């Protein structure tokens, strides 16, 4: 396991040469705790969101519209990670950007806590904006703690960081979910704001342990570029205000005037961004080759997240209406299902971190490509299992809670073979010019996957019932076939990756 390395095994003057956190640089503890509290706020709200949208005491929307809104929201969170990375690269640097992000997220959750339907979507927008500013940059700062892309502790470090994510994600549904479902929805959202406030304070107190690289603005804007960027931003903001103001005054505005454009943007932007980076002539041939290899990982991740993220929407709403949510006669809140995945992550992540290093020492560690292929096959298998509770519900019975837990278990194993490895390979393969922005590109895979889900679910566009057996089976087959395709072309992808392992 990576944490078994001591400070004596690290060259003096490199990151992590002082006190360690489970064998890793001390700054990992700061980022671990910050991400834990941010994820506490995010996953608590995410667990409540689809249930609040369909509840008679909430917004009381139909299932398809609720899935569309929740999917667009998650898509937007990860879409905004790209400008979040750009903002750090060109304006504030990662550390200051993360501090600003924490403040915006806290304000967003406080807005959600206001029991007025009209400001609900404003709160969602603020949380999405803050999360976008934070996500890419905090992961980039984890990378800064290590001595180059081939530091043997790097993959293990990201796995330990992943435990921080899931510690917050585990506690959030149990606390925020219970209060929201059983006491008051908006009080639950207020608890999410408290969690982010704690995370922000902890980050500010622990920044001295971070790498000095996290304070650097890699490619700062010139005065002319700042002026031009501000003018363009104000122009598009004014144009949007005028357009939507006119639509609203004409009486034709519906939620889909916002949902559909955001969905389309979530599908187009990832393709445009990757193509733009790939065509950048300032990149040398090695960097361009790595970007070409990265396209394979991106597409694989998009398919994975399309299915995986339905665990918080399609599967949660199904459980709310069609599952026996009880253990030995004791009924538990539906939001508690969202704690199943993170508790399994915390149990299995150290095992995986140890396993990769154990296999590496023996020259038998699976390649990144094989890990990704395995993740796709596993997430497909989880939806084959979903067919069982669906068939039980079609027969007029309540599906046992253990079927829902089994789906999350299989997805968890798939996640561990893909997500932390994807974070690490992104920092390894990113061209220097796009250091923080490439982490934003990694998160765009989630945007693409959730945007596709939103497009299918939206009654005004696809109108697909995502909890129907035929479509669930189709998604399962798609994921398995994608995994097989990645495995078959693993040799080509490895050649494109060059010396990145």
């Amino acid at each position: 396991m990576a944490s078994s390395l001591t400070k004596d095994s690290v060259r003096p003057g490199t990151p992590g040469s002082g006190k360690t956190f489970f064998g890793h640089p001390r700054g990992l503890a700061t980022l671990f705790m910050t991400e834990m509290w941010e994820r506490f706020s995010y996953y608590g709200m995410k667990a409540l969101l689809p249930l609040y949208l369909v509840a008679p005491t909430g917004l009381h929307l139909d299932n398809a519209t609720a899935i569309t809104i929740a999917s667009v929201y998650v898509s937007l969170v990860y879409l905004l990670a790209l400008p979040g990375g750009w903002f750090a690269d060109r304006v504030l640097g990662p550390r200051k950007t993360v501090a600003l992000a924490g403040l915006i997220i806290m304000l967003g959750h406080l807005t959600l806590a206001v029991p007025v339907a009209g400001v609900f979507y404003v709160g969602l927008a603020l949380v999405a904006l803050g999360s976008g500013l934070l996500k890419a940059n905090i992961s980039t700062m984890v990378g800064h703690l290590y001595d180059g892309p081939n530091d043997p502790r790097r993959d293990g470090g990201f796995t330990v960081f992943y435990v921080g994510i899931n510690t917050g994600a585990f506690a959030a549904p149990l606390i925020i979910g219970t209060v929201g479902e059983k006491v008051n929805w908006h009080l639950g959202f207020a608890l999410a704001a408290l969690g982010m406030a704690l995370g922000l304070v902890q980050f500010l107190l622990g920044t001295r342990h971070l790498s000095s690289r996290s304070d650097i603005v890699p490619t700062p804007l010139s005065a002319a570029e700042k002026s031009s960027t501000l003018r363009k931003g104000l122009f598009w903001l004014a144009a949007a205000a005028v357009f939507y103001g006119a639509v609203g005054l004409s009486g034709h505005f519906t939620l889909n005037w916002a949902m559909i454009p955001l969905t389309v943007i979530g599908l187009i932007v990832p393709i445009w961004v990757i193509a733009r980076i790939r065509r950048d002539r300032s990149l040398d041939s090695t960097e361009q080759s790595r970007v070409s290899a990265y396209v394979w990982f991106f597409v694989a991740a998009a398919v994975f997240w399309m299915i995986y993220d339905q665990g918080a929407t399609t599967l949660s709403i199904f459980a709310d209406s069609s599952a026996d949510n009880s253990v030995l006669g004791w009924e538990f809140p539906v939001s508690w299902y969202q704690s199943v995945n993170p508790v399994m992550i915390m149990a299995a992540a150290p095992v995986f971190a140890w396993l990769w290093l154990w296999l590496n020492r023996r020259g038998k560690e699976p390649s990144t490509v094989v890990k990704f292929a395995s993740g796709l096959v596993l997430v497909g298998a989880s939806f084959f299992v979903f067919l069982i509770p669906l068939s039980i519900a079609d027969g007029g019975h309540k599906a046992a809670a253990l079927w829902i837990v089994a789906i999350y278990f299989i997805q968890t194993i798939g996640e561990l073979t893909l997500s932390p490895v994807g974070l690490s390979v992104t920092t390894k393969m990113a061209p220097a010019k796009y250091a923080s922005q490439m982490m934003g590109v990694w998160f765009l895979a989630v945007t693409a996957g959730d945007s596709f889900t939103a497009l299918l679910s939206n009654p005004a566009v696809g109108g697909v019932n995502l909890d129907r057996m035929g479509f669930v089976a189709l998604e399962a087959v798609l994921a398995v076939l994608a995994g097989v395709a990645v495995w078959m072309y693993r040799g080509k992808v490895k050649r494109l990756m060059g010396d990145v392992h």
Side-chain angles (χ1 to χ4, degrees), residues 18 24 27 60 63 79 84 123 144 219 261 263 305 312-313 354 369 389 434 441:
H24 292 271
H60 204 193
N63 289 358
L79 175 65
H144 287 167
T219 52
T263 301
W305 295 119
T313 54
W354 170 84
V369 186
Y434 297 101
V441 171

Side-chain angles (χ1 to χ4, degrees), residues 460-473:
V461 186
V464 175
N465 291 319
L466 296 179
D467 60 352
R468 293 296 179 264
M469 292 185 67
F471 194 79
V472 169

